[in-house]
Amino acid sequence: MWTGIERLTMAAKLAAAEREAFLNGNPQWRPVEGRDAVTRSFQFSDFNEAFGFMTRVALEAEKADHHPEWFNVYNKVEITLSTHDANGLSERDVALAGFIDEAAGGQAAP
């Protein structure tokens, strides 16, 4: 169950073992080549459903002051997570990924 993202001033980069544990436990999130980041794609029934999902994520991200990179075309949304201050993945990304997964409600990747 989603418990929220802590609003932190600085976030530490995940250790290699923590990063691997996240990827192993969340296979729908894929590593981004050439970056310490993860990405996931979603496909919804239409633009309204995709936009509603993006709005839910945007509101939570704003509360946490931790914003994803994303791309949207019609019913498809691609999200990339990385913490710029940490120069890679952090606990803030792991927490936001948890919220995103819950907000997606089981939507499959395209």
Side-chain angles (χ1 to χ4, degrees), residues 65-92:
D65 193 28
H66 187 60
H67 306 94
E69 299 170 27
W70 52 19
F71 180 75
N72 164 245
V73 174
Y74 183 57
N75 66 339
K76 295 177 183 164
V77 178
E78 184 171 314
I79 298 178
T80 300
L81 298 176
S82 184
T83 301
H84 301 287
D85 292 343
N87 198 29
L89 286 176
S90 75
E91 283 295 326
R92 296 176 85 187

Side-chain angles (χ1 to χ4, degrees), residues 2-102:
W2 173 247
T3 59
I5 303 170
E6 285 187 39
R7 189 177 184 130
L8 305 171
T9 55
M10 278 298 277
K13 186 173 177 175
L14 293 180
E18 294 170 316
R19 185 180 194 279
E20 287 306 311
F22 170 76
L23 289 169
N24 290 335
N26 299 279
Q28 65 278 18
W29 289 93
R30 301 174 319 277
V32 175
E33 190 172 330
R35 289 182 64 190
D36 188 15
V38 292
T39 190
R40 182 170 178 196
S41 298
F42 301 89
Q43 184 167 334
F44 298 91
S45 61
D46 57 26
F47 177 74
N48 285 335
E49 192 175 318
F51 191 80
F53 163 73
M54 291 176 67
T55 300
R56 289 188 298 280
V57 172
L59 291 171
E60 188 64 31
E62 185 62 21
K63 280 191 239 174
D65 193 28
H66 187 60
H67 306 94
E69 299 170 27
W70 52 19
F71 180 75
N72 164 245
V73 174
Y74 183 57
N75 66 339
K76 295 177 183 164
V77 178
E78 184 171 314
I79 298 178
T80 300
L81 298 176
S82 184
T83 301
H84 301 287
D85 292 343
N87 198 29
L89 286 176
S90 75
E91 283 295 326
R92 296 176 85 187
D93 299 304
V94 170
L96 187 55
F99 177 82
I100 290 167
D101 290 344
E102 190 173 295

